[in-house]
Amino acid sequence: MSVLKSGAKRLLGRAGFDIVRSTRIQGGVDDFIPFEATMRAARAAELSVGDYIDEVMNGTPGATQTTMDELRALGVFAAHPNTVLEIGPGSGRYLEKTLKECSPGRYEIYETAQPWANYLVDAFSVFAQPTAGCSLAPTSDASIDLVQAHKVFNTVTFLYASRYFFEMARVTRPGGLIVFDVMTETCLDPATVRTWATKGGAGHGSFPAAMPRRTCVDLFATLGCSLEASFLAPMGVASTEVLVFRKRD
């Protein structure tokens, strides 16, 4: 069943690509971006999976690469992180580009969509941890150099995201980095709210989910993490704010 975002309709009309996003998006990437259909559609469009999702499904060509370019410019990969953990990598479009920026000895993922998790393990030799709610319990305290999550916390409830924040700070080593994006008030001026309300599609129970910026900054401060940088990244009809925290020594 296809859902055409306004940003993708014109691209589809010119190129003849089909969009395979399901209307059953409450369950996460496994329902929202179905594995088999997405892989077939990407091959038919002669695009990588990541480019297909950016260009056709989301109508935001180059969005993933733009985010990675910003993170590189900020020095996120400069220390050559040896351990990386990603929450909700889904199709792996950020994971793949991260591996082009650094060569970690261990890359852990927490992905609830089993077909996508299996694909990422086979394609990129990452280590899939068992998932249980908002817990990162299988990962040891202070063991990860870079913890990241992209396009995850603007799709879940406030408390769901907040519980993950505690876990992210716990597993990050002193001096390590935490990178994630949330839809803060910076992204929600009145014109943008109107755009979401009128052009953002039917939506569902948690997407798009807002998160106060000050709440994030203050919470991570209590967890020994300082905000180092932030920038806006495209998401659907509007934007999301990427936050970069460093855990203090």
Side-chain angles (χ1 to χ4, degrees):
M1 198 168 183
S2 296
V3 177
L4 300 183
K5 282 190 168 184
S6 58
K9 286 182 180 177
R10 291 187 295 275
L11 177 62
L12 291 170
R14 288 197 304 269
F17 298 152
D18 189 20
I19 189 167
V20 297
R21 177 174 290 153
S22 170
T23 56
R24 280 180 40 81
I25 52 183
Q26 290 87 342
V29 69
D30 40 347
D31 287 329
F32 194 27
I33 305 179
F35 176 75
E36 293 288 351
T38 302
M39 296 295 284
R40 286 195 303 269
R43 287 193 295 267
E46 298 183 345
L47 294 169
S48 69
V49 175
D51 286 345
Y52 173 80
I53 291 172
D54 276 353
E55 295 182 22
V56 180
M57 295 184 73
N58 293 339
T60 54
T64 301
Q65 188 60 55
T66 297
T67 295
M68 299 305 293
D69 291 344
E70 291 274 5
L71 293 176
R72 184 194 315 112
L74 291 170
V76 167
F77 309 108
H80 306 290
N82 187 53
T83 51
V84 178
L85 183 154
E86 185 171 353
I87 298 168
S91 65
R93 64 189 192 273
Y94 291 93
L95 184 159
E96 181 176 13
K97 293 185 183 299
T98 298
L99 291 176
K100 292 179 179 178
E101 298 289 341
C102 59
S103 300
R106 181 179 176 86
Y107 199 122
E108 297 184 13
I109 63 170
Y110 284 81
E111 175 54 60
T112 59
Q114 199 59 51
W116 283 114
N118 293 342
Y119 162 72
L120 295 178
V121 170
D122 291 341
F124 302 107
S125 299
V126 296
F127 185 82
Q129 293 281 27
T131 59
C134 309
S135 173
L136 305 177
T139 302
S140 301
D141 293 359
S143 62
I144 304 295
D145 297 316
L146 171 62
V147 176
Q148 62 178 350
H150 299 279
K151 303 301 189 293
V152 172
F153 298 131
N154 37 50
T155 68
V156 299
T157 65
F158 172 84
L159 285 180
Y160 202 90
S162 299
R163 289 166 182 151
Y164 263 125
F165 294 163
F166 287 99
E167 283 287 83
M168 294 165 79
R170 176 184 66 79
V171 303
T172 304
R173 67 164 181 81
L177 294 174
I178 299 171
V179 176
F180 62 90
D181 64 287
V182 283
M183 189 179 291
T184 67
E185 61 272 26
T186 307
C187 312
L188 293 171
D189 58 90
T192 300
V193 173
R194 181 177 295 275
T195 299
W196 274 115
T198 59
K199 299 179 181 179
H204 65 85
S206 62
F207 175 80
M211 169 70 72
R213 189 179 197 272
R214 177 52 57 187
T215 296
C216 289
V217 174
D218 288 351
L219 176 61
F220 275 94
T222 69
L223 300 173
C225 303
S226 302
L227 181 67
E228 289 217 328
S230 67
F231 59 90
L232 296 183
M235 186 182 76
V237 300
S239 63
T240 182
E241 185 171 10
V242 181
L243 304 177
V244 180
F245 291 91
R246 186 178 296 277
K247 190 169 182 180
R248 295 188 291 273
D249 292 329

